[in-house]
Amino acid sequence: MKEAKLKNGVMERRRAGIMKWLKSNIPILQHSSIPTAQYCNISTALLLILILLSAAPSLAGQSLGVSGYVTDKRSGETMIGVNIAVLGQRLGAASDRNGFFRITGLAPGKYVLEFSYVGYINKRVEINLAKKSILLKEVALQPQIIKGKEIVVSAKRAQIADLTVDAAHLQISPKDIKSIPAARSDVFRALKYLPGISGVDPFSPLYSTRGSDPGENLVLLDGVTIYNPYHFVTGAGIFNLYAIKNIEMMVGGFGAQYGGRNSSVLYISTREGNNKKLHGELETSTSQTRTIMDFPLGKNATMMVSGRFFYNLAGRFLFNMPLYFYDTNISLNWKLNRYNRLSLRYFLSHDYMHYSFARISSYYAHTLNTDIFEDYDVQYKNNWYNQAATAILKTIITPRIYLQTQASGSFFRAGNLSLIDFTYSDKTTGENSKLFYKTDIRNAIRDISVKSVMSIKPDKAQLLKLGVEYSNYYFKNNLSINNINQGAAIRQPAVLAAFSEDKITFGPFVIRPGLRFTKYSYAGDWHIEPRVNAALRLPWDIRLKAAWGKYYQYIISINSQEYEMSQFLDNYYPLKNNRPSASTHYIAGLEKTLLKQSLLSLNFYYKDISRVYTFDSNLPVSEAIGFTDKLRAGSGKSFGMEVLWKGTWKGFSGWISYGLSKSFRNYPHIMNGKTFYYDYDRTHAFKALISHQIRPYLSYSGTLQIMSGIPKTLEKSVRKYFYYDPLSASYSGFAAWVADTKNNARLPLSIRLDIGIKKRIRKGFGAELAKFMKAKDSYMNIKLGNLLFLYRNVLFYLPMGNKKYYGLASNYFPEFSAGYTIKF
Amino acid sequence: MKTQNLKRIFLFISFLYLPAHSQNFVQDTLEISFDNLSHAPCAAILDTVIDKRGTQPRFLAWDEKTKYLFVPVDLLILSKKPLAAEIQQALNCGTEKTAACTLELILDEFELSKRNNSMLYPHYRLNAAIQVLHKKKDGKPVSIGRLLYESTIRQPFFGDKLKRGFETLVHKWIVHLAEDLDSLSQNLQTKQTIKSANFRSGNYFSDPQNMISTLDIQRGSGGWLWDAEIIFSPREAKRCFYRDGYNIRYRRNKTYESIEFGLSCDYLFYRLSQNLLLRTKSQLMFGLSSWKDLNETMHDFWDAFIADYSLSQSVIYNPLDKSAILFGLGISQDVFYIYSKKINFRLYFLLNLGLKL
């Protein structure tokens, strides 16, 4: 008894010691308004739920299992989404994002596993299960090469999401992206060709998913959150396609593993590197050069280095106006031993632009024989940096338990300077006046995170995932007006989150309930986000899917497109004295395999946006930029349906999609709370990509996009303001165009048709260089964009007076670009 | 959107993807005939011709043409029968009774190309490398050396007569080959030294193609000119030969600097000795100029452009059939046009530095 008491006392002291350590090291717990016991209760509740979820099927009895990694024999890279079937049994699995698979529920005995993947030769492996589950050595699949033909792998690509249960899941392969002419090999441009995703305007890289704000999209690069993953220059994304292995988009209803954003998750995985030999690619054109090299580093390590450099030679040379960006990815992967793998990834991008109107006008002022630009200058200087680094340790604890631990840092820094400098003469007084206005806005974001995800396969019917995540943030906004610093605003929140989800299979029915617990340091409470995904397999290869989930966002981004001609940057705001923005997703859909390699999917969704924020437009600039708490809360909803047919057929591949959607918002301070159409609402969206691989060395592709125009506010009347100027003893005035209804008009349909040709080159510099280097292939890519340029895609209307408007378009001319790729 | 517009879009797409129509965008084939060649006499017995090119036996060349202004379409050039058989048939070699000796040919390379980058001399070119083996009485073939060929003929000014051009070129080459084989067999019989400009004795065999990258640094009354050039050159088989290259020029003087791109860059080489080459270069260029005095002087918009033609003559150290660091000296003459400065002529001294791989 005494011993027990003593033991309890020691335990209490240890517990208190642990809590003290946690509080001193994790800032989020320092200011917790919840008593320790309360979150202990929550933890206990979570634990109980997990035990309940996982215990029942495991009681059925102990069974054996087999697990291992699947790799590509040619490159040694792990393969995602490989099907593994136990012949003669109704058991199987697919390799996950780490290329790892697990099959459980096997009785002792001999089995044959069949590994299959489109474009690869099926492989059979015999196993003998005696008393223990076994971990296989790497299973390498051989690519299928038929002389003169290339296998098109498109219908069944790798997946991060679980295809058996995730409802609103879209995948796009780097190969698909290369075949979208208008994408110009850019991930973000390509995404806009998927259903449910639309660009905010033709010049901006920002995208809206299913009627949400662009800032509600989570972008992860190898699991690291990237802030503003866009280049200022060209409006492209910052990810070099050459370095990318897999791209997945979850446009809603995503599981408890992902949090912090309300609308979508874009997960990009980079290549690990070739462990067989040096492999490389180089692509160059008049505007950019991209390259990748991947190679083995000794027996157990690989490395991948890729880079891209965009330049504007003419602007730099003629006007001394630099405009460039570069990005680079480095990936190092070690197989430490049979059970542990370590990956180190680093990513860097930098944009720089300096535009000066005076330097350009110095040329044409002389040609036009005018001096009106002599003392006039407008300048923009943008300097953006994005960096991310991560270390990922993947451990096979037992053949049934897989642990992934990740530490990462994501850093964003932007400097945006604008200047107007104008000297003019007042004819009445004869005096020279000078207008000088310069703003310099500098943002910095730092996100240091650690997370750990354990996935457990207790039996053949279950897959349990448990995870914990801690992020420490630093946000800084600084504004200078006319070289006078207005002061910096800094916020340093932290987020602690834990999640659990369990995928349970009952015959043809699969359900994946999940819970996400989040504590945000600036908010008092723990928030619980329950999420459920379910799927039912029906005859005729039909699968019904449904998802429901609650989502909270603490670090929001403000939509500023009404104040800017084109929004290029997400303006991140860590909420402090405001409740998190929130939404609930309801999704139902069905999928059916048509033909051999194509999939038809139909999805219906309803999104209840219960809390969303916008700027108060009456705030002074300095207060708005300085993380003001005076945000205006509103609400909204969006709903719609999407049909997508994606697949390959006899050299043709691609997809056709149609989306019908509606999205609304209401804010108490706008039109007295009346509901209006959301800024990026597009009722109809038809999108098609068709790529025709005629020969291994020749392919044509075409994309067609027909979409409803977005709502716009058309000013209906002029309000005139007058004031008395005591210096000149006269009245002056100015006019402002006003409208009484927000988004009272809709732009006309926008249509875009692009064609691309990819062809092995036979003559000229590229062919001769490839021949000299004994390269495998050299290709040219020709892109003919905006072929329907005679149809004007209106961007906005300029009021011309007398109730007349001029529709300013984004597509007056067809586009042409050509590039050269060499593979070795 | 009007239904009529939608119809137009679908018609346009259908037109592009009509199966019969799309075949036009894939590939054309051109067959070169060896049939009507006037057979050249050759005293040797030609035992066998072996094709070791590693391509399909009838393959002669790839060319490319443009359809509908911008669509590049492959043109596959083939012989009617396997090339080795065509060569054997075309060579009117002796019979056993009259033959001086028995030869075996191994075809290492055979390449036809249309060179239309050149402004002064657009031409069709044939490059071939053939290993010659002498079959002794015991039947064992012994390699005696290689025949290297480069034949060119000018392209017609109007219209592309590719088939006729290549056939003429092949004919010219076969006659040349027959003459060389005849001469070889006679020399073998009389055990004299083989004296043919195309013959390389022994087993020496250089790479089929060199990449020559050079920098021409020029200094003259017009300031500095820096020309970076790349030439992909088949191995030398003639004393006097043409090449075309790719180049970029940086021009710098007191008031402006320019970057110019070569629209046409022609070289005429003449081999002076085993190590020295005389090079005459002609280049037509177009580029952009950046003015240093933008803050003081208002320039016309058209001043941003520059057009330029230049000629240069230089003697360059460039050893035959060897990789080397190249250097040379010469002079260049340059005529250029800038809107506000009109036509200018300048003379420069030229220093050439390069690398032949």
Side-chain angles (χ1 to χ4, degrees):
Chain A
M1 195 73 174
K2 209 174 179 183
E3 268 181 19
K5 270 188 179 176
L6 198 67
K7 207 173 178 181
N8 281 345
V10 171
M11 291 299 284
E12 277 300 315
R13 278 201 300 279
R14 272 188 195 164
R15 200 172 293 152
I18 290 166
M19 286 314 301
K20 195 178 169 189
W21 182 88
L22 284 172
K23 282 199 166 194
S24 62
N25 287 284
I26 303 176
I28 194 168
L29 298 176
Q30 290 168 4
H31 313 291
S32 173
S33 61
I34 302 173
T36 314
Q38 196 173 334
Y39 65 74
C40 280
N41 288 342
I42 292 167
S43 308
T44 315
L46 169 65
L47 204 65
L48 275 172
I49 291 163
L50 293 177
I51 290 167
L52 283 172
L53 282 171
S54 59
S58 356
L59 294 173
Q62 189 65 30
S63 60
L64 299 176
V66 56
S67 55
Y69 284 101
V70 191
T71 59
D72 181 325
K73 196 168 187 178
R74 196 172 38 183
S75 65
E77 290 227 22
T78 52
M79 291 175 68
I80 312 168
V82 174
N83 273 320
I84 302 108
V86 186
L87 295 183
Q89 308 277 321
R90 295 189 69 182
L91 279 173
S95 58
D96 63 14
R97 89 167 82 138
N98 295 315
F100 190 70
F101 76 94
R102 276 165 296 187
I103 298 170
T104 50
L106 293 166
K110 285 185 179 177
Y111 298 96
V112 178
L113 303 182
E114 187 174 67
F115 294 77
S116 60
Y117 192 81
V118 180
Y120 285 75
I121 299 166
N122 288 4
K123 185 168 184 171
R124 290 183 177 191
V125 176
E126 281 186 26
I127 54 162
N128 189 359
L129 289 174
K131 288 180 182 173
K132 280 168 44 180
S133 295
I134 58 168
L135 174 68
L136 293 176
K137 281 185 183 174
E138 276 182 9
V139 179
L141 297 190
Q142 176 79 46
Q144 201 169 10
I145 296 159
I146 300 169
K147 207 174 179 185
K149 283 191 174 181
E150 188 175 310
I151 299 292
V152 180
V153 182
S154 185
K156 204 162 195 174
R157 284 289 305 178
Q159 72 267 3
I160 300 302
D162 190 339
L163 283 188
T164 55
V165 71
D166 271 309
H169 168 257
L170 301 166
Q171 11 184 351
I172 187 164
S173 69
K175 189 184 163 90
D176 287 336
I177 293 176
K178 281 180 188 166
S179 65
I180 299 175
R184 280 175 269 157
S185 298
D186 180 68
V187 176
F188 289 89
R189 286 201 195 102
L191 285 177
K192 293 165 191 170
Y193 281 85
L194 291 170
I197 303 169
S198 59
V200 299
D201 73 57
F203 301 114
S204 171
L206 272 63
Y207 60 93
S208 162
T209 49
R210 290 185 169 175
S212 289
D213 277 330
E216 292 181 300
N217 304 318
L218 178 64
V219 179
L220 296 167
L221 179 70
D222 293 318
V224 185
T225 306
I226 305 293
Y227 298 85
N228 282 311
Y230 325 110
H231 283 299
F232 180 86
V233 181
T234 75
I238 56 179
F239 307 121
N240 180 358
L241 198 62
Y242 278 7
I244 294 173
K245 181 178 178 180
N246 192 46
I247 303 151
E248 292 213 44
M249 184 84 194
M250 287 168 268
V251 286
F254 45 90
Q257 188 170 352
Y258 304 101
R261 297 290 186 279
N262 281 349
S263 181
S264 73
V265 178
L266 172 67
Y267 198 109
I268 296 172
S269 314
T270 52
R271 284 196 199 175
E272 293 147 11
N274 196 315
N275 73 357
K276 306 287 178 197
K277 59 178 182 181
L278 171 70
H279 159 260
E281 264 180 64
L282 172 76
E283 183 184 336
T284 188
S285 68
T286 46
S287 58
Q288 68 173 328
T289 297
R290 293 189 294 181
T291 186
I292 182 172
M293 281 214 305
D294 51 335
F295 45 86
L297 276 179
K299 262 186 176 179
N300 295 316
T302 55
M303 187 169 184
M304 184 275 295
V305 181
S306 78
R308 173 169 60 158
F309 183 50
F310 173 92
Y311 33 80
N312 179 354
L313 289 175
R316 175 74 180 85
F317 187 69
L318 288 177
F319 308 116
N320 194 21
M321 295 195 313
L323 186 154
Y324 63 83
F325 71 69
Y326 58 79
D327 49 57
T328 184
N329 285 74
I330 300 171
S331 164
L332 268 163
N333 299 276
W334 280 279
K335 287 176 202 166
L336 302 175
N337 52 42
R338 214 175 148 200
Y339 303 99
N340 290 289
R341 289 175 182 220
L342 178 67
S343 300
L344 299 179
R345 310 268 163 92
Y346 175 71
F347 166 76
L348 164 72
S349 85
H350 177 213
D351 278 50
Y352 185 76
M353 184 195 86
H354 186 186
Y355 165 87
S356 164
F357 179 80
R359 287 183 195 164
I360 297 175
S361 65
S362 61
Y363 271 101
Y364 62 77
H366 186 254
T367 311
L368 299 172
N369 195 20
T370 175
D371 61 354
I372 59 168
F373 304 116
E374 204 171 324
D375 295 310
Y376 183 78
D377 195 11
V378 173
Q379 285 192 35
Y380 298 104
K381 200 187 269 188
N382 303 84
N383 198 5
W384 295 6
Y385 284 92
N386 224 321
Q387 281 187 85
T390 184
I392 309 165
L393 179 67
K394 297 163 192 170
T395 309
I396 303 166
I397 297 174
T398 72
R400 288 160 183 265
I401 304 174
Y402 194 89
L403 177 72
Q404 181 170 315
T405 310
Q406 181 168 11
S408 60
S410 181
F411 312 90
F412 174 75
R413 188 154 52 89
N416 296 297
L417 182 145
S418 63
L419 175 149
I420 183 161
D421 186 358
F422 183 32
T423 307
Y424 62 98
S425 302
D426 189 328
K427 284 183 181 171
T428 51
T429 61
E431 286 178 358
N432 280 342
S433 301
K434 190 174 175 67
L435 174 67
F436 180 85
Y437 189 69
K438 181 180 165 188
T439 60
D440 188 358
I441 304 170
R442 299 191 181 195
N443 320 95
I445 301 172
R446 188 186 68 206
D447 170 357
I448 307 286
S449 298
V450 281
K451 59 181 160 190
S452 193
V453 179
M454 184 186 282
S455 68
I456 307 160
K457 188 99 177 80
D459 53 57
K460 67 177 180 184
Q462 276 196 108
L463 178 66
L464 183 68
K465 272 190 184 175
L466 301 169
V468 63
E469 193 175 329
Y470 173 74
S471 300
N472 192 303
Y473 302 97
Y474 173 86
F475 291 87
K476 182 181 174 185
N477 278 2
N478 192 38
L479 170 71
S480 291
I481 299 174
N482 289 343
N483 299 323
I484 298 165
N485 197 328
Q486 307 291 309
I490 294 171
R491 285 195 176 176
Q492 291 177 276
V495 168
L496 177 65
F499 79 88
S500 77
E501 59 181 30
D502 193 9
K503 186 180 141 193
I504 310 162
T505 309
F506 300 105
F509 181 66
V510 186
I511 186 162
R512 192 186 65 194
L515 281 173
R516 188 175 177 89
F517 295 80
T518 312
K519 173 145 179 65
Y520 180 60
S521 59
Y522 286 162
D525 307 323
W526 282 84
H527 286 106
I528 302 173
E529 296 163 75
R531 296 167 196 180
V532 182
N533 293 66
L536 177 65
R537 203 173 56 241
L538 295 175
W540 307 294
D541 214 359
I542 295 174
R543 188 179 282 270
L544 295 179
K545 287 183 174 177
W548 172 84
K550 276 191 90 72
Y551 300 85
Y552 290 114
Q553 186 166 342
Y554 310 92
I555 295 158
I556 62 160
S557 164
I558 301 285
N559 176 5
S560 65
Q561 61 97 27
E562 284 202 340
Y563 313 99
E564 302 179 72
M565 189 186 275
S566 188
Q567 187 177 346
F568 281 87
L569 196 69
D570 278 323
N571 306 293
Y572 288 102
Y573 261 64
L575 295 173
K576 195 167 185 180
N577 296 309
N578 294 288
R579 297 172 69 195
S581 69
S583 65
T584 310
H585 298 190
Y586 303 84
I587 299 166
L590 67 87
E591 283 174 7
K592 165 139 181 64
T593 308
L594 291 178
L595 303 172
K596 211 176 177 183
Q597 279 188 39
S598 79
L599 187 77
L600 178 73
S601 66
L602 173 65
N603 276 301
F604 295 90
Y605 67 89
Y606 175 77
K607 203 186 282 188
D608 177 15
I609 304 161
S610 51
R611 200 175 311 110
V612 67
Y613 291 96
T614 189
F615 267 130
D616 180 347
S617 48
N618 294 321
L619 283 178
V621 183
S622 55
E623 194 175 349
I625 285 174
F627 297 132
T628 177
D629 291 327
K630 293 176 193 167
L631 295 172
R632 298 288 194 161
S635 62
K637 62 184 171 189
S638 64
F639 51 88
M641 60 81 81
E642 289 151 9
V643 193
L644 171 72
W645 182 26
K646 185 180 183 186
T648 64
W649 179 74
K650 287 186 177 178
F652 284 92
S653 62
W655 64 79
I656 296 171
S657 76
Y658 170 71
L660 174 69
S661 66
K662 292 272 178 195
S663 187
F664 303 96
R665 295 285 185 280
N666 60 71
Y667 292 93
H669 70 293
I670 300 174
M671 299 187 302
N672 296 321
K674 265 175 78 179
T675 299
F676 58 88
Y677 274 109
Y678 172 57
D679 295 342
Y680 305 127
D681 173 78
R682 291 192 191 268
T683 312
H684 305 279
F686 173 83
K687 297 168 185 178
L689 159 72
I690 296 167
S691 177
H692 187 193
Q693 176 112 27
I694 299 168
R695 296 279 167 95
Y697 52 82
L698 177 65
S699 63
Y700 284 84
S701 56
T703 47
L704 177 66
Q705 202 177 51
I706 306 172
M707 294 194 298
S708 304
I710 54 173
K712 280 280 172 191
T713 306
L714 281 193
E715 295 83 352
K716 290 272 169 114
S717 56
V718 177
R719 184 172 291 167
K720 288 184 177 167
Y721 296 88
F722 295 96
Y723 61 91
Y724 176 72
D725 182 0
L727 288 174
S728 60
S730 62
Y731 281 96
S732 292
F734 61 89
W737 288 88
V738 291
D740 56 355
T741 312
K742 184 176 163 60
N743 290 346
N744 55 5
R746 192 179 279 276
L747 297 180
L749 270 182
S750 78
I751 308 171
R752 191 179 167 102
L753 176 69
D754 304 87
I755 286 175
I757 303 164
K758 184 185 174 193
K759 185 186 171 300
R760 183 182 293 172
I761 48 173
R762 302 293 185 185
K763 58 196 290 187
F765 178 79
E768 291 191 88
L769 180 66
K771 187 179 165 191
F772 176 75
M773 290 175 73
K774 298 184 176 73
K776 212 160 72 177
D777 287 318
S778 58
Y779 285 94
M780 67 173 189
N781 300 294
I782 295 177
K783 278 151 195 178
L784 299 159
N786 194 22
L787 290 173
L788 303 175
F789 62 97
L790 293 177
Y791 179 85
R792 199 164 35 158
N793 291 333
V794 176
L795 198 62
F796 55 83
Y797 282 101
L798 291 174
M800 306 294 285
N802 292 332
K803 294 184 180 175
K804 286 182 181 171
Y805 295 90
Y806 176 74
L808 201 68
S810 60
N811 62 332
Y812 288 105
F813 303 103
E815 296 158 6
F816 174 82
S817 73
Y820 167 68
T821 308
I822 185 164
K823 289 182 183 179
F824 52 91
Chain B
M1 189 184 178
K2 285 178 188 173
T3 327
Q4 207 176 357
N5 284 347
L6 273 174
K7 275 183 189 167
R8 277 179 196 162
I9 292 165
F10 287 119
L11 270 174
F12 182 74
I13 295 164
S14 314
F15 168 78
L16 288 175
Y17 278 92
L18 270 177
H21 187 72
S22 62
Q23 272 305 310
N24 290 331
F25 297 117
V26 180
Q27 182 181 297
D28 285 350
T29 308
L30 182 70
E31 275 192 352
I32 300 293
S33 171
F34 283 61
D35 293 345
N36 301 323
L37 300 179
S38 55
H39 293 226
C42 167
I45 297 172
L46 191 57
D47 191 35
T48 43
V49 180
I50 300 164
D51 189 346
K52 275 199 174 174
R53 293 176 302 155
T55 56
Q56 57 156 303
R58 288 173 60 209
F59 176 79
L60 294 182
W62 278 111
D63 197 53
E64 209 169 57
K65 57 185 188 182
T66 309
K67 286 188 176 177
Y68 302 97
L69 293 174
F70 61 82
V71 183
V73 174
D74 280 345
L75 180 65
L76 175 63
I77 300 161
L78 298 172
S79 54
K80 286 188 173 172
K81 285 187 281 186
L83 181 61
E86 292 274 25
I87 292 171
Q88 194 155 17
Q89 195 181 324
L91 290 167
N92 185 18
C93 286
T95 58
E96 269 189 66
K97 286 176 190 172
T98 57
C101 62
T102 307
L103 298 176
E104 192 176 296
L105 302 183
I106 296 175
L107 187 65
D108 287 318
E109 287 162 28
F110 183 89
E111 191 182 330
L112 289 170
S113 53
K114 188 171 101 177
R115 313 294 305 182
N116 45 3
N117 290 354
S118 166
M119 183 182 70
L120 299 179
Y121 185 62
H123 57 277
Y124 302 116
R125 190 168 75 196
L126 182 150
N127 291 93
I130 295 175
Q131 199 183 148
V132 186
L133 294 103
H134 180 210
K135 241 181 175 177
K136 296 206 167 170
K137 284 179 184 172
D138 58 0
K140 273 190 178 176
V142 178
S143 172
I144 55 167
R146 275 183 174 77
L147 287 165
L148 304 178
Y149 292 96
E150 178 171 316
S151 300
T152 55
I153 53 164
R154 178 181 272 282
Q155 286 179 24
F157 282 106
F158 299 103
D160 183 12
K161 307 278 189 282
L162 192 70
K163 185 175 163 68
R164 207 170 121 193
F166 279 159
E167 282 179 351
T168 312
L169 202 56
V170 167
H171 185 185
K172 195 174 154 187
W173 171 68
I174 283 284
V175 171
H176 208 159
L177 177 64
E179 284 170 5
D180 282 341
L181 291 176
D182 194 40
S183 157
L184 272 177
S185 68
Q186 284 173 17
N187 288 333
L188 278 169
Q189 204 176 25
T190 55
K191 293 183 180 171
Q192 287 179 338
T193 320
I194 299 159
K195 286 178 186 170
S196 166
N198 300 306
F199 186 72
R200 303 279 193 278
S201 61
N203 286 321
Y204 173 76
F205 190 55
S206 66
D207 277 334
Q209 181 146 300
N210 292 126
M211 184 172 81
I212 302 167
S213 21
T214 58
L215 182 67
D216 281 357
I217 304 164
Q218 295 152 83
R219 176 74 172 130
S221 52
W224 288 93
L225 299 179
W226 298 67
D227 291 357
E229 304 162 348
I230 287 182
I231 306 169
F232 295 100
S233 168
R235 73 166 74 78
E236 286 178 42
K238 290 164 82 177
R239 192 158 197 187
C240 181
F241 53 96
Y242 290 95
R243 292 290 178 263
D244 47 67
Y246 307 92
N247 66 346
I248 185 168
R249 165 173 285 181
Y250 173 67
R251 177 193 296 268
R252 185 185 178 89
N253 64 27
K254 281 179 188 169
T255 49
Y256 64 93
E257 48 188 347
S258 314
I259 289 178
E260 297 161 36
F261 299 92
L263 301 176
S264 160
C265 188
D266 298 332
Y267 301 86
L268 174 64
F269 289 103
Y270 183 80
R271 183 151 287 282
L272 298 170
S273 71
Q274 199 69 7
N275 290 327
L276 291 178
L277 262 181
L278 174 67
R279 186 193 76 173
T280 306
K281 180 173 78 170
S282 148
Q283 53 189 8
L284 180 66
M285 313 193 84
F286 183 76
L288 297 169
S289 298
S290 171
W291 293 85
K292 295 175 185 172
D293 55 356
L294 276 181
N295 294 336
E296 300 90 46
T297 317
M298 299 297 272
H299 281 279
D300 203 286
F301 170 73
W302 299 109
D303 280 352
F305 303 99
I306 180 169
D308 172 16
Y309 177 75
S310 62
L311 265 177
S312 72
Q313 303 79 33
S314 52
V315 176
I316 298 169
Y317 168 78
N318 183 335
L320 179 68
D321 288 339
K322 282 179 189 165
S323 294
I325 292 172
L326 317 175
F327 56 88
L329 288 170
I331 52 164
S332 78
Q333 307 85 46
D334 182 41
V335 182
F336 63 94
Y337 175 80
I338 291 175
Y339 181 75
S340 63
K341 293 186 177 284
K342 306 303 173 196
I343 293 178
N344 291 266
F345 174 77
R346 297 281 186 274
L347 263 178
Y348 296 86
F349 285 106
L350 181 153
L351 169 69
N352 174 281
L353 298 170
L355 187 67
K356 182 164 82 167
L357 294 170

